[in-house]
Amino acid sequence: MRIRRFLLLALQIHDVYTFTSKIRVERWRGSIPRKEIDSESVNVVQRLSISQWKPLYAFKPSDMFLEGPPIETKPVYEDIHGPLGQGLDRIFLRVFRTKMANLIGKEMDSSLPADDYQGLMELTSNMNKKYSQAECQALSQMVLCSLFPDLILNNFGWMFAKPFPEFSRKMNAWATFYAGVWLMGEVEINDCEIDGEGNNEDGEVTIGKNQGLLVKRCRFLEESGCASVCVNSCKIPTQNFFRENMGLPLTMEPDYETGECQFSFGLTPSLEQELAAINTPCLARCPSSMASKRKHLSKSASAMESQEKMKIESSDNRCYMMEDPTSEVTGSKSIG
């Protein structure tokens, strides 16, 4: 505990020193007026005093992380099976993990049995450690594509999604309901917001009846314990898969505090929602939190200056695996 407090204090002092050094250089160059420098110095110091210079014993995990759903109420996921039964769930898991290992490299796979869920988590973690976020998104989308024959991928959009949008939305919601429990845990079909003329600034939205899917507590998120893995290995690649390969828009809205995730088939993701997902803080139990201690325990002056601009770089409490300045927010990147 003493070491942690010392490190935190050292990081705070470093931030102030870095900022004041920058001010001295700029002042020497004459690039900004002295009055403006002094005014900005006061503002930054005031902000530092409010957000950082409080007693070290007053810091709580909630200041730096999202707590996530309580461990005490964690479901026994091994006892939760899809409507098709435990046997098919194991087959789905085995096929999915085999496809994923073949694509990203068998040497990255776990030594656990092919139908062991923890083995899939280890494989996913290894992928996120090795590749950038854009590459993880692209690889995960390719894994989804490998699960379907080209006949479906090449024709679903013009045969079903465009001429029969409501039918397509319901069909995909039900398909996920039957085949996705092994991956996500308990789910239920529900109504959801969809694209339509009713969506306007007055708050009116178009609702699709039985065209959404609610994941009550996502196993993939809970077992990975990482917001970055959720965003880069599930949310964005799945949305891209349905939009680009199936011709059907999809918005996934994970709630990192409760573990819920809302699938809205037929709803195009907004840029604001995607930025919010990417900028989400680490979970308190995130396995990468120690590697990102610098980002989690301090707030740099440069981040403070730009936090109102809603840029990805301004979020200094994100999981370090969220960082990838060359990637796009919702796009995918080819591998190789």
Side-chain angles (χ1 to χ4, degrees), residues 236 238-250 268-269 330-332:
I236 291 180
T238 303
Q239 291 177 166
N240 289 342
F241 167 75
F242 277 96
R243 184 184 70 251
E244 298 172 5
N245 303 109
M246 303 291 282
L248 182 68
L250 167 68
T268 302
T330 58
S332 60

Side-chain angles (χ1 to χ4, degrees), residues 287-305:
S288 67
S289 57
M290 292 303 294
S292 56
K293 180 177 287 187
R294 173 66 181 89
K295 293 181 72 63
H296 291 297
L297 297 183
S298 67
K299 291 185 177 181
S300 64
S302 60
M304 288 182 178
E305 292 170 348

Side-chain angles (χ1 to χ4, degrees), residues 2 16 21 153 156 161 177 193 210 230 234 270 282-283 286-287 291 306 324 333:
R2 292 181 179 177
V16 174
S21 298
L153 297 178
F156 187 88
F177 173 84
E193 180 182 350
N210 295 328
C230 168
C234 183
S270 68
C282 258
L283 298 177
C286 178
S306 60
D324 185 9
K333 179 180 177 181

Side-chain angles (χ1 to χ4, degrees), residues 68-99:
I71 293 293
E72 297 77 18
T73 59
K74 179 180 178 181
V76 181
Y77 289 108
E78 291 77 9
D79 295 338
I80 300 176
H81 307 296
L84 301 178
Q86 181 180 4
L88 276 178
D89 282 350
R90 287 187 174 275
I91 292 176
F92 290 150
L93 171 56
R94 181 185 293 270
V95 170
F96 187 92
R97 181 173 160 190
T98 300
K99 295 277 189 180

Side-chain angles (χ1 to χ4, degrees), residues 6-7 10 12 51 65 73 77 87 89 116 118 129 136 163 175 192 194 239 246 266 287 298 301 317 335:
F6 174 78
L7 289 174
Q12 294 170 341
S51 62
F65 304 101
T73 59
Y77 289 108
D89 282 350
D116 189 301
Q118 189 57 40
K129 290 176 182 177
C136 286
C192 67
I194 60 174
Q239 291 177 166
M246 303 291 282
S298 67
N317 57 348
I335 305 297

Side-chain angles (χ1 to χ4, degrees), residues 99-123:
K99 295 277 189 180
M100 186 174 178
N102 289 339
L103 186 62
I104 70 174
K106 293 183 178 180
E107 70 281 358
M108 299 177 64
D109 198 2
S110 169
S111 59
L112 294 173
D115 58 355
D116 189 301
Y117 195 91
Q118 189 57 40
L120 174 64
M121 289 294 95
E122 292 180 11
L123 178 60

Side-chain angles (χ1 to χ4, degrees), residues 193-207 267:
E193 180 182 350
I194 60 174
D195 293 338
E197 296 180 358
N199 300 349
N200 54 45
E201 297 179 356
D202 297 330
E204 297 180 2
V205 298
T206 301
I207 300 297
L267 181 64

